[in-house]
Amino acid sequence: MLLNDKLKPYRLLLASQSPRRRELMTGCGLPYELAEKFDCEETYPDDLPLIGVSEYLSTLKSEAYPVPLLENDILLTADTVVLAGGEFRMTAEGTTWHGGEILGKPRDRDDARRMLKILSGAHHLVTTGVTLRSAARMTHFTSLTYVWFRTLTDEEITYYVDTFQPFDKAGAYGIQEWIGYAAIECIEGSFYNVMGLPVQKVYTELDKFLNP
């Protein structure tokens, strides 16, 4: 049975104001409703490994949702962060990220230009944490995508920031925009994860969530 058919008895609630996430859910054919808008203070412990921040924040958002879930409700929350200036390592315990900083949404034009200068000519890691919660249980996961930028000129950075105004995007860029065509040399992992939602993994995890 297709996942869409399995979801018919349920109400899938997307708790996100991101137009990219709505676009990706629609493109994947998943029937959903927008959850009521709510506030959540997106903070995390100082000692939390950076690679775990997005999943921590997606769970925080889920737990902050103020409306009690009905028996047939499934709430989906997500958070995307960019880790830059460090390096990733593969160990027996999994992937870790050492050094660097989290690049969230830029405060203004100057901050967006600062972020893109950090990303220019280097690699970074995009992580999206996703949480699925019903009235009875909760699960969460993280998707990782490695992205390599060619070196950008100051003129290119200024053009992108002033033309596309990426102030609502983690890391100050959208892979689906000009910069993705002109500047990204290589990615390893889900393209859609960089847009803000790893829809293939969401699809498969939703299927498992319905059949525990």
Side-chain angles (χ1 to χ4, degrees), residues 3 7 9 17 24 29 34 37 61 65 68-69 89 93 100 107 124-125 129 143 169 173 178 193 200:
L3 178 58
L7 282 169
Q17 298 303 307
L24 292 172
L34 282 179
K37 189 175 181 180
K61 291 177 183 178
Y65 185 60
L69 296 180
R89 302 172 189 168
E93 289 74 32
R107 295 184 301 274
H124 61 275
L125 178 64
S143 181
K169 299 176 177 68
Y173 79 94
W178 174 86
N193 185 46
Q200 182 274 331

Side-chain angles (χ1 to χ4, degrees), residues 83-112:
L83 308 182
E87 63 176 9
F88 54 87
R89 302 172 189 168
M90 298 298 293
T91 68
E93 289 74 32
T95 303
T96 58
W97 184 268
H98 297 266
E101 64 176 304
I102 286 183
L103 301 183
K105 297 175 183 177
R107 295 184 301 274
D108 51 31
R109 179 178 183 269
D110 288 341
D111 197 34

